[in-house]
Amino acid sequence: MNASKTAVLTDSAADLPEEIKEKYHIFTIRMKVIYHDRMYEDGKIDPMYIYEHFREEIPKTSTPNMAEVMDVVDEIKAEGYENIIAVMISCHLSGTYGVVRSAFEEENIKTFAMDSKNISIGSGIYAYYAAYLLEQGASFDETVAALKKKQEEGASVLNFYMDGLEYLAKGGRITPAVALVGKVLHLKPIIGCDKEGVYYPVAKIRGQAKGVARLVDLVLPDGLDISKYWISVMTGDGDKLAEQAIKRIYEKYPAANIIIRKQITATMAIHTGPGLLGIDRFEFK
């Protein structure tokens, strides 16, 4: 436990690796994967199972309810923590942030809930940063102030290359018309979250190889002081894409610090489909 007795809480869609959560004792609220006849907790189902069964059924996802959030809060308090910092994915992409805020209003301990206005590791990296600061001896107030400052500066830049838009459309994240246009024109989209935490097209290209190169160049443009950044590489049934991206990253920046390479979680896989590659840069200094 850190000296300030502050727990860090995030959600499963923030895509933090289990080893990082264990090292920094980061607590997780788990979303759910729902099939017509069964349900799984996010993080406790192999994302590859989702891809393998897409033809049979595209499952739905569900946010945790108030009781489930308060159960995690009770667990945090039982372990002796006196404060909680929660970092949740964009409220425009999930209702989890709203549920956490409501749950915190019922608590008598010091809390802060942050809408990261991002998704996947673009959100999770803020939770990691908070835990990192707390381990370095920062107080609750200092950590909250640092998180707010980093968000205002746009410290986390995450873009996703996708083989297509059909799964975002099926999940209601974009309109079917937009997905259809992309399919007809054979466009490969690069998607990000805007300042409000809403998906928007960063670029559209033709061809997978060009897509990977363009993604790397968008997130890691020439001239960066690479020593200031943590880099994460996320895949959605796309290990070959990740290998191509990592090779290009090191060609551009041999000293790049890739701290996370991970398959996206099951709930993310449902909404994005196979053939996904995400890269995030986070300015931690």
Side-chain angles (χ1 to χ4, degrees), residues 47-82:
M48 296 308 295
Y49 179 91
I50 303 294
Y51 299 121
E52 290 163 2
H53 291 80
F54 263 146
R55 289 188 178 182
E56 301 165 20
E57 182 180 355
I58 298 176
K60 299 183 183 302
T61 60
S62 162
T63 59
N65 59 40
M66 178 81 78
E68 290 167 332
V69 173
M70 294 185 79
D71 284 346
V72 177
V73 172
D74 287 343
E75 178 188 348
I76 289 170
K77 293 193 292 186
E79 292 194 18
Y81 289 94
E82 298 175 356

Side-chain angles (χ1 to χ4, degrees), residues 5-49:
K5 296 184 177 181
T6 299
V8 176
L9 174 65
T10 191
D11 55 75
S12 58
D15 261 328
L16 275 179
E18 291 300 321
E19 58 269 24
I20 285 179
K21 289 191 283 188
E22 289 175 6
K23 178 180 179 180
Y24 290 97
H25 206 46
I26 298 171
F27 293 83
T28 305
I29 297 169
R30 296 191 184 276
M31 297 185 180
K32 294 181 177 62
V33 175
I34 303 172
Y35 286 90
H36 76 279
D37 60 350
R38 60 199 186 278
M39 179 178 70
Y40 302 93
E41 284 193 342
D42 199 19
K44 297 184 179 181
I45 173 176
D46 186 346
M48 296 308 295
Y49 179 91

